[in-house]
Amino acid sequence: MRPNQPAADGYADRMADTPPGSPLPPSPAAPPAPAVPPLGETPRMPLRRLGWRRFLVLAGVVLFIAGCATFTVNEIGQDLGLQALLIGVAAAILPVPVLVACYLWLDRYEPEPLKYLIFCFAWGAFVSTAASLKVNRFGAEQFAAVGLPDALTGVLVAPFIEELTKALGPILLLVFRRREWSGITDGLVYCGLSAVGFAMVENILYLGGLGYASGADRYGPATGIQQVIAIFILRILLFGFAHPLFTSMTGVGLGIASRTADRRIRVLAPIAGLLLAMMLHGTWNLLPTLTQATGEAMIMLYGFLGLMVPVFFGTVGLALWLRAWEGRLTERVLPDYVRAGWLSPPEVAALSSLGRRHAARSWARRVAGDAGVGAMRGYQSAATRLALLRDGALRGLDRKPADQERTAREERELLDAITEYRSFFVGRDPQAPAGVWDGSRYHLRFPDGTQRAVDAPDEPVVPIPVVLAPAPAPVGYAPSGWPGLRPASPWPPTHP
């Protein structure tokens, strides 16, 4: 296989095809099953060392976000007052866990590092908000100076500065941590969380200022609370998806850029996504402005039903399709490792859907307890990352020799981790025959002492019933360039 040729679709299913016929004769060369090691502490993926340069960068990012947070809270607090600020914060935080949970659910196949998710949320909540506050106020002052209404700020200024600053955090991740991006799904998650953080702080202004403060100043606290409830229903329950929806357009563009080797697409896709996000945001802000100016409430209704609802459901459908695609990626890419002897057909089948992954974890708990299910979780994460790494190599994302060497090193680390995780649950099921997989057939030893070489069944047995032959060389890059697939280890293995 050459680097520009993707793995054949459906290979995992074809691996299981067995021609009709009588059972295979016993194989005299079938070796005894390897001994099952005792259970111990669940292994973990190797962690990157926090050198002094990375520490300084991390400290600088934290201090910068903390400074923006201090500025934002101070600005909002001066405008609203302490009581209105606290009420606004309490009401604005309520939908955040639900929205964050939706994005975490979307990202279940290959969860992103928690630190990057927190970074995107904090960036949107504080950095984007701080910049938008200053620019929007400056824009409003300039419009007022020439006799134009303040409403134009929401149409001509806010969409540009808000979408740009919300996307800047994920863009920084793409530039400096491109390997953490697996495609459009990651773009939706990173940009969506940034937008959720921004919307949370913006909702504090609406709920605490236009809601409680304005009502309490005129008619007392009870009216203020009533207005908070009304704005909460209208702005959050009905239109709470607006900011994540706008910024998801940028996320799609960034996701496309993360998985292409074409430099033109890497530049044009994010720009196109950002411009589309700005256009949607500006159109959304224009609807209430036109409604107020003309007195025609149907403008808002028609714009909501005719534009925002279709875009919303289209984006949700795309996100669900991409989520399923990420699961099917293992079926398209990991069979390369099956042929090379690193994985067996049931392992690929057990990764193809969330239901099968859950079934594999349940089986691992049954045969190996808590350590087994912990190892299965780590195994599934490492296998998914391996598929993404291999897919990126096939797409030609690594052009520099240094990047290719890094890919080869990461591939080896992932394969070693998979081997460690596998030792916690493979070979421990008393209901499965002992045996090994050599890259093309099973060599099984049955309870009656017979030994047979058996082709993979029509439907792969899930979860994994056997261990593997001695590990061959990795599939991916070598220092001298792409070598293609290496042949599986000879069977039975020879020893000096």
Side-chain angles (χ1 to χ4, degrees), residues 107-324:
D107 197 35
R108 283 180 64 189
Y109 272 112
E110 198 262 330
E112 304 310 314
L114 181 61
K115 59 184 178 182
Y116 296 142
L117 301 179
I118 294 175
F119 166 78
C120 287
F121 181 87
W123 184 278
F126 303 119
V127 179
S128 179
T129 303
S132 298
L133 279 173
K134 297 296 291 184
V135 174
N136 287 338
R137 288 178 178 177
F138 176 79
E141 293 173 357
Q142 298 304 310
F143 284 127
V146 296
L148 295 175
D150 292 344
L152 291 177
T153 304
V155 179
L156 300 178
V157 179
F160 297 92
I161 184 60
E162 292 177 8
E163 294 306 322
L164 179 62
T165 54
K166 281 187 292 182
L168 187 56
I171 289 173
L172 292 175
L173 278 183
L174 179 60
V175 173
F176 295 104
R177 290 290 183 269
R178 182 175 62 84
R179 289 177 177 269
E180 298 296 338
W181 286 68
S182 60
I184 300 177
T185 300
D186 286 359
L188 293 175
V189 171
Y190 286 138
C191 289
L193 289 177
S194 179
V196 169
F198 181 91
M200 178 190 71
V201 178
E202 188 180 64
N203 287 333
I204 295 174
L205 286 169
Y206 281 91
L207 294 167
L210 295 178
Y212 181 80
S214 63
D217 290 343
R218 292 184 178 183
Y219 306 107
T223 302
I225 294 297
Q226 291 177 356
Q227 291 190 184
V228 168
I229 295 174
I231 294 177
F232 184 91
I233 294 174
L234 182 65
R235 180 171 177 83
I236 295 180
L237 296 185
L238 295 181
F239 306 137
F241 62 87
H243 273 290
L245 177 62
F246 305 147
T247 315
S248 66
M249 303 297 108
T250 308
V252 171
L254 293 176
I256 293 174
S258 70
R259 303 301 290 178
T260 181
D262 192 322
R263 293 183 178 179
R264 294 168 297 179
I265 297 178
R266 286 186 177 182
V267 174
L268 294 178
I271 293 176
L274 181 60
L275 291 177
L276 182 57
M278 292 176 177
M279 292 169 61
L280 281 175
H281 195 160
T283 302
W284 177 250
N285 288 354
L286 179 62
L287 294 177
T289 302
L290 291 177
T291 299
Q292 184 177 6
T294 62
E296 295 290 339
M298 299 304 292
I299 293 178
M300 187 69 187
L301 180 62
Y302 289 152
F304 177 71
L305 297 178
L307 176 63
M308 304 307 297
V309 170
V311 172
F312 171 76
F313 283 105
T315 304
V316 171
L318 174 65
L320 295 177
W321 180 83
L322 290 169
R323 187 172 184 263

Side-chain angles (χ1 to χ4, degrees), residues 42-98:
T42 304
R44 298 180 180 272
M45 289 293 297
L47 300 177
R48 295 180 62 184
R49 294 181 59 186
L50 186 62
W52 66 270
R53 291 183 179 178
R54 293 188 65 212
F55 176 79
L56 290 179
V57 172
L58 177 62
V61 170
V62 171
L63 290 176
F64 176 68
I65 294 178
C68 292
T70 302
F71 170 81
T72 302
V73 172
N74 181 67
E75 289 289 309
I76 296 176
Q78 290 182 355
D79 291 342
L80 303 183
L82 180 59
Q83 188 176 27
L85 174 64
L86 294 177
I87 292 176
V89 169
I93 287 178
L94 290 178
V96 171
V98 177

